[in-house]
């Protein structure tokens, strides 16, 4: 039983081949933000065909985590806020034609949440809220092993909560959004340095966690999750981010709330979304494997 998993992000995209639950092949490449799918698709084809020819890879299902809003019911990409050309791109039909296997799509935060819930830091935590802190910011809600998507596949969009009144303009048309204040794309534009350099400065981190905690507080107040897992490149900063972030979140939460403040970095590193794409394919195409592992 083999699965072809894709993680399509605003900075990089990663392809994975799973044999059962084991990631046996993996390749990551930079995303060309200008050309969108037209530059990426030929690379996906070429990696897949290489794996098929050299390794005999024959998936019986495919899963995709996409870095932007999607319509889960229609199984279409709505758009990518960071990369052009994706709106209405026929990703599912193209992938099914290429692989000869059925494919399923969700946004990357939902997929990342599912990956961590089944295989990572969320295994013993239900319900789970997952936040990806990367080029952009997204959220995924997982309860009893299933993603909560809401009525229109737009639940969990924590990145566009307004956390700084009259803050700078966000790509979404609003201002002062969590994503605008805290994501990798804007940190680099605002400060001229990548996030990992900025987070090496404790003074910067003290200010940064105030904004981040405002977003996480909203998740705690609305969802009361058993755990919040944070994935994406910025979450790799480890204790120098998580220790002050936990302190700030405790400070911001009202004293009367007994909601737990269990905040952990993702365990699957760069592969939360790939594992989530695997779990998604299992849930849709292999009903017998739905039980939590
Ligand atoms: Zn916004």
């Amino acid at each position: 039983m083999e699965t072809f998993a894709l993680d399509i992000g605003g900075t990089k995209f990663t392809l994975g081949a799973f044999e059962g639950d084991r990631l046996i092949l993996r390749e990551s490449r930079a995303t060309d933000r200008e050309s969108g799918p037209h530059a990426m698709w030929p690379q996906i084809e070429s990696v897949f065909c290489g794996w098929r020819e050299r390794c005999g890879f024959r998936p019986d299902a495919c899963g995709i985590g996409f870095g932007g809003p999607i319509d889960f019911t229609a199984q279409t990409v709505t758009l990518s806020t960071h990369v052009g050309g994706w709106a209405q791109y026929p990703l599912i039909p193209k992938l099914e034609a290429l692989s000869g296997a059925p494919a399923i799509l969700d946004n990357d935060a939902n997929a990342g949440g599912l990956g961590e819930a089944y295989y990572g830091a969320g295994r013993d935590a239900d319900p789970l809220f997952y936040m990806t802190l990367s080029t952009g910011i997204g959220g995924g809600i997982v309860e009893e092993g299933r993603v909560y998507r809401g009525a229109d596949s737009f639940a969990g969009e924590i990145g566009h909560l307004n956390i700084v009144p009259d803050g700078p303009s966000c790509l979404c048309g609003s201002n002062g959004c969590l994503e605008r204040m805290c994501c990798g794309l804007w940190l680099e534009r605002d400060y001229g340095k990548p996030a990992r350099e900025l987070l090496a400065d404790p003074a910067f981190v003290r200010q940064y966690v105030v904004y981040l905690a405002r977003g996480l507080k909203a998740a705690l107040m609305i969802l009361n999750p058993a755990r919040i897992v944070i994935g994406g490149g910025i979450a790799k900063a480890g204790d120098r981010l998580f220790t002050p972030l936990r302190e700030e979140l405790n400070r911001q939460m009202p004293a009367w709330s007994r909601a737990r403040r269990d905040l952990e970095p993702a365990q699957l590193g760069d592969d939360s979304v790939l594992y989530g794409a695997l779990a998604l394919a299992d849930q849709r195409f292999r009903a017998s494997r739905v039980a939590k592992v």
Side-chain angles (χ1 to χ4, degrees):
M1 195 168 42
E2 294 182 322
T3 308
F4 186 38
L6 280 81
D7 170 9
I8 298 177
T11 302
K12 62 181 170 54
F13 65 102
T14 307
L15 315 174
F18 285 91
E19 194 176 85
D21 297 343
R22 211 159 50 87
L23 184 58
I24 52 168
L25 297 164
R26 181 186 187 285
E27 182 152 345
S28 195
R29 297 187 178 187
T31 295
D32 177 343
R33 284 200 189 134
E34 305 302 312
S35 313
H38 307 291
M40 190 182 291
W41 181 256
Q43 298 185 63
I44 293 172
E45 271 182 326
S46 123
V47 171
F48 179 84
C49 293
W51 288 353
R52 185 167 56 191
E53 281 157 30
R54 287 194 311 276
C55 317
F57 179 50
R58 293 272 187 285
D60 56 82
C62 308
I64 311 163
F66 181 80
I70 62 120
D71 182 331
F72 189 76
T73 307
Q75 282 290 294
T76 53
V77 170
T78 305
L79 64 117
S80 165
T81 47
H82 304 297
V83 181
W86 279 104
Q88 308 308 322
Y89 187 79
L91 187 55
I92 291 283
K94 287 184 82 95
L95 189 59
E96 290 183 337
L98 173 67
S99 66
I104 184 161
L105 166 75
D106 205 340
N107 85 43
D108 59 350
N110 286 348
L114 210 51
E116 290 293 326
Y118 276 83
Y119 299 103
R123 267 177 298 185
D124 51 350
D126 182 65
L128 175 74
F129 183 69
Y130 173 82
M131 186 172 86
T132 172
L133 186 50
S134 180
T135 311
I137 292 182
I141 305 158
V142 181
E143 189 174 34
E144 295 181 355
R146 299 243 157 209
V147 173
Y148 174 80
R149 298 186 175 84
D152 302 299
S153 323
F154 279 91
E157 287 287 357
I158 193 171
H160 299 281
L161 292 182
N162 301 96
I163 55 160
V164 179
D166 306 318
S169 299
C170 180
L171 292 174
C172 75
S174 188
N175 58 327
C177 298
L178 180 63
E179 176 168 290
R180 177 63 187 81
M181 306 310 296
C182 294
C183 79
L185 182 79
W186 281 109
L187 288 180
E188 192 156 350
R189 283 192 193 171
D190 286 348
Y191 298 94
K193 286 184 193 173
R196 70 173 177 283
E197 280 180 40
L198 293 166
L199 293 172
D201 173 6
F204 178 85
V205 173
R206 271 196 299 280
Q207 167 232 311
Y208 179 69
V209 297
V210 172
Y211 297 145
L212 205 50
R214 285 181 190 161
L216 295 174
K217 176 186 174 186
L220 289 188
M221 299 298 274
I222 294 172
L223 300 172
N224 186 198
R227 183 168 298 150
I228 293 176
V229 172
I230 305 181
I234 298 177
K236 289 182 190 165
D239 287 348
R240 67 174 187 273
L241 172 64
F242 277 80
T243 302
L245 181 58
R246 288 186 186 104
E247 286 168 8
E248 177 61 24
L249 186 56
N250 269 324
R251 198 187 64 74
Q252 290 185 18
M253 284 294 287
W256 52 262
S257 172
R258 306 285 165 86
R260 65 186 79 179
R261 295 108 201 235
D262 184 341
L263 196 62
E264 291 295 332
Q267 274 178 5
L268 299 170
D270 290 330
D271 295 334
S272 308
V273 177
L274 283 187
Y275 277 89
L278 167 68
L280 204 59
D282 277 345
Q283 288 187 332
R284 175 58 64 98
F285 304 119
R286 302 169 181 135
S288 60
R289 282 172 53 85
V290 163
K292 269 196 150 189
V293 290

